[in-house]
Amino acid sequence: MTQTSRPGREVHSGRGTKTFDRVPGGFYLVGALVTVFEVIALGAVGLGLVVGDPSDDGASPDKVSRRVEVTYIVTGDHPSVNLTVGRTNGSHKSEGIVILPYRKTVELATSADFYLDVRSREGQEGGTLTCTVLVGGKVVKQAHNTPDASSATCAGSATDAPQRGVIAVPTLTPGASPLPEERRLTGTVKVPDYPGKGSPVIGTVTDSSLEYAELGGTWDRSRTLDPIFDGFTRKQEGRRRALVKSTQVDEDIMAAAGGTGELRGVAGAVLDERRRYEYPRDQAILVDVASQSLKVDGHDAWLVVSEIHFHKRGVPSTMDLNAVLVVDTGRVRPSVLWVVLPETNKKLWPDLNTLVDSVQVR
């Protein structure tokens, strides 16, 4: 008799009983949902740690201060000024000479302080100067120079509240036109024949072994000078800063020219000295237009004609035509004739040709 075998019953010890055999089937779904929630929550926390708060730039607010835009503005009737910026209780940095109007924007911490000081350049005192500081585009500080002071200072903190009332942001009208590049001739270029009638000749002037024309019309009469105080021994003034001076070249200029007596070098040294003493320091540019050798009564001479471009408060002209004629008169040091004719008085420019043509050695 064949006996059909029956499936054997799986027997486990209590310690080896399968866990899931003892969990009701309904709990599987609940466990799966809890696991999915935990994964999503942990992922969100991790993403938050990676991305962070966009307002702290990747660092905690305790380590990074918030920043704000601070704008410095300087205006006035000066072509250029001396400017200093920095921290009220810290270091100040000189910006040197700047052309007005001036505007600069920087980023500072909201807890930072600021300092802006504007001063007239030497020889250009007076006039009007205004400093203004904007924080976040609003005026928090503005100061003007007083009639007896040639400076204005704005100091405060980036946390200062905007000034009360309507404080207009200064209009940045175009400032002085840029000065040209320096140009000094190394070759020979003849002096132009400036067109026009020019001034009448009313006599002659004899000074430092030179004889030259005395001009009339809008020119005052020629007069003597004290060379110790003026550096020249003769002077004739015309309207709108026109000028004619003569003297014997002094030893300092001869030394500046190398002490050789080479006339071209001496003429250049005279012109450099005139620029240094007669025009705003570091704000006058020489552009040579002529440089040539001449014969004056058989004596060697050199003539340099230059445009001096400059900006000076209260002076309408921004360019003067300067001429320096150096003549070897046979004395220990040569003699010099210096002529200044402003751009605003061009009708006198033909006087340059008249003066140069009239020079004789006496």
Side-chain angles (χ1 to χ4, degrees), residues 95-113:
E95 295 288 321
I97 300 170
V98 300
I99 302 295
L100 295 188
Y102 171 90
R103 181 187 180 109
K104 183 178 182 179
T105 299
V106 299
E107 275 197 353
L108 296 179
T110 53
S111 59
D113 50 30

Side-chain angles (χ1 to χ4, degrees), residues 17-31:
T17 303
K18 293 182 178 180
T19 302
F20 290 113
D21 288 344
R22 301 191 301 167
V23 176
F27 283 96
Y28 291 127
L29 179 59
V30 175

